[in-house]
Each structure stands twice: as structure tokens, then as C-alpha cells.
Amino acid sequence: MRQALIIAGPTCSGKSALALALAERLGGTVINADAMQCYRELRVLTARPTPEEEARAPHALYGVLPASVVGSVAWWRAAALEAMEGASLPILCGGTGMYLRALTQGLSALPDVTPAARAEARALLAELGPEALHARLNAEDAALIRPSDSQRIARAHEVWLSTGRSLAHWQRAAPLLPPAPYAFRAILLDPPRAELRAAIAARWQAMLTGGAREEVATLLAQGLDPALPAMRAHGVPELAALLRGEITGDEASRRAIANTGAYTRRQATWFRHQPLMAARHVPFAAPQRAHIINARFASLAQFSESEQAKIFAFLREGVDGAIPPP
């Protein structure tokens, strides 16, 4: 079974830096597993790797979708498998847990929805808002989806309109796309909350200096549906409100930093409860192992030689030389 690495963790924990360092050392390809970094219009606000970083090692699935498109879990899974097939060592890097779970645990093959159903669901979401549309869901879907999760609410509604059955029904009944045929090793970055909060604030200021406001202005000029995922990326709603004159710059920054911090808390909780991430060096039924680093990653040189040795020993473990020594 081929080897693949996963670098996971909350936003701003240093995943991209670690993935790039490992790709350079191990001859790997960094494959994006972050839903927002798929969108080409959002390089600054999603902290996508820079052109200089992308030149240091092969990268895949960064900036490949227009903001007008909804990048589904099923789409990403298929694209990631294709990218992995062409990589000597795939290094999946990102914080979108549903993407990684679809790869490591499989995915229900849900039915296609009709364009009319999709348009109606998105129109209702824009007209009513997520909480009111959530109230219209059947009991099964309503129990599984948060009232604030507008994307999943719209998805459930469009599946119902297309098929007459709930999303929960199809998730139970649809055949499962199997886990990817790889032996996964995962490194979870789980830095202390205070360290992560400081990094989020620093990154936001760097984004503003780097053109985030101009990036959002260009995005708004497309006149896209505000319910689209790209329009709800961290920082987009806040800077959009600033550009419309609804809030001040200080308020936009306060909201963006607070909302990103709340999201990282949900990410960290989610990852801690996934089988692949649940414990250090504990094998599971599938050939998957996890190594947890309780620090924010800035560069490989940040760690002592002994910590670096632990990381590479963990990655080499059980793969018969597929990963060379550091």
C-alpha cells in the first residue's frame, strides 16, 4: 500500500510551512485540503502558498476553482486522488476535516441534484437566511445540521427538492466510496489557544498590508451570490461590509479576528475526535497513525534535532524505506 502524509490542524497553526518543509526534504507533492484555498480569487485572504513557495516543491489543487463554483467534498476527493496518483509522496495539507475524512474513511455516493433544485435552494437561502431555511428541513436533517451552517442547509434542501428524500436518508442508503488505498500518516498541529490567537491577529494585519481589501473589492465586482462558499471565506464578509461603508476598519478587523478564532476552536475540537487524530502513536483498524505536535509550526528549524528526529522516525515507521532518512 502506498504511503501518504496528512498535515492537519486549525487555521493559522503552520500547516503550510510544515508541509513545504517536508515536501522539500522528502521529494513530496503538497496537495491542498483546504476548501477556501481552492478558490483562485482568494490568494491573500486564504494565505495560499506564494508563487515563490510553490516553486520550491510541487503543489496541487491551489487556486483551481473560480469563486462562482461550489467545490463539493466529492469533487475534492476525486481531484485529490488524481493528484495523489501522480505524486511520488502525496502530502495532504489543510484544515477542512470533511475533505480529509472523505479520503481516509470513504464517502457516501449521493445523487446528483437538478439545476432547478440548486437554484431554488440558493434563492431561498438568500431570501430567508439559514435559520429560517433550517426550520423548513425535515426532522432528520435538522437534527444533524447546525442552524448556522448555510452551505449544508442549502445542500440538504436541494437534495430534498431533487429526490423527495432527506440528505440523511441518502447518506445511509447510498453506496460508500471506499477509503483511498493509501497507508496514511498524519501530523496534527494543535498549538495552545493563546499562541494561535496571536498568530491569527498577526496574519490578519499582514493580509491587510498584502492587499486583502483590494482582493475583496475585485471579488465583489463579480456580483456573485453571497451564499457561495468563496463569498463567506474568513475576512470576505467583514471587508465587504467595510467597503459598503457599513462598519469601520477597526470593527472589520475585530470581527474577522474573532470569527476566525471561533472557527479554529471548532476545527481543533473536530480533529481531536477523529479516529486518525485521536491519540499519539496508536494504531487503528486501518493502516493509519497520528503524531500530535502541541505547538505552532514556523519552520523545520524551530524544532530541536531530537524533535525533528521524532517526526521523521514517525513518518518512516512501518513503511519499509518509502520515506528516506532526514
Side-chain angles (χ1 to χ4, degrees), residues 76-291:
W76 179 85
R77 183 183 187 276
L81 286 171
E82 183 177 353
M84 292 169 74
E85 185 64 27
S88 58
L89 177 65
I91 302 176
L92 296 130
C93 174
T96 302
M98 293 297 291
Y99 281 10
L100 295 171
R101 188 164 72 177
L103 201 64
T104 61
Q105 300 180 34
L107 179 69
S108 295
L110 298 176
D112 292 332
V113 299
T114 66
R118 177 173 289 111
E120 181 177 344
R122 303 295 159 173
L124 285 171
L125 181 64
E127 177 186 351
L128 303 175
E131 292 189 3
L133 189 56
H134 182 273
R136 294 191 178 191
L137 295 178
N138 65 82
E140 277 192 314
D141 286 343
L144 295 173
I145 301 174
R146 296 193 311 272
S148 61
D149 193 341
S150 58
Q151 188 63 33
R152 291 191 67 203
I153 292 168
R155 175 63 171 158
H157 197 68
E158 66 190 25
V159 167
W160 175 265
L161 290 172
S162 293
T163 68
R165 293 185 178 275
S166 69
L167 180 60
H169 162 83
W170 287 110
Q171 288 174 334
R172 289 194 307 271
L176 185 73
L177 298 174
Y182 288 81
F184 289 99
R185 295 291 186 276
I187 293 177
L188 173 63
L189 298 178
D190 190 19
R193 293 303 312 168
E195 191 175 339
L196 196 58
R197 284 195 297 270
I200 291 168
R203 175 182 284 184
W204 176 254
Q205 294 304 319
M207 286 175 173
L208 292 178
T209 302
R213 180 170 173 167
E214 293 76 12
E215 189 171 78
V216 172
T218 301
L219 184 64
L220 293 176
Q222 296 186 43
L224 299 175
D225 182 347
L228 286 167
M231 299 297 291
R232 296 182 290 107
H234 295 303
V236 172
E238 294 83 2
L239 289 177
L242 171 63
L243 290 168
R244 291 192 297 265
E246 298 170 358
I247 58 176
T248 66
D250 287 346
E251 178 62 12
S253 294
R254 187 194 67 78
R255 292 184 188 181
I257 293 170
N259 290 336
T260 303
Y263 177 67
T264 61
R265 288 193 293 274
R266 295 194 298 272
Q267 282 180 299
T269 300
W270 192 93
F271 278 120
R272 291 185 196 118
H273 288 85
Q274 295 307 300
L276 183 58
M277 306 296 181
R280 181 190 297 267
H281 297 278
V282 177
F284 298 94
Q288 301 171 354
R289 303 287 293 275
H291 180 81

Side-chain angles (χ1 to χ4, degrees), residues 17-89:
L18 178 54
L20 177 57
L22 292 177
E24 289 183 298
R25 293 284 289 272
L26 304 175
T29 296
V30 182
I31 300 173
N32 174 39
D34 182 286
M36 293 300 107
Q37 288 188 336
C38 291
Y39 292 109
R40 65 176 63 117
E41 292 93 337
L42 297 177
R43 178 181 288 276
V44 175
L45 274 176
T46 62
R48 259 175 36 209
T50 65
E52 293 75 19
E53 289 168 334
E54 291 180 329
R56 288 165 53 188
H59 285 68
L61 300 188
Y62 289 92
V64 294
L65 290 179
S68 58
V69 170
V70 176
S72 68
V73 177
W75 164 80
W76 179 85
R77 183 183 187 276
L81 286 171
E82 183 177 353
M84 292 169 74
E85 185 64 27
S88 58
L89 177 65

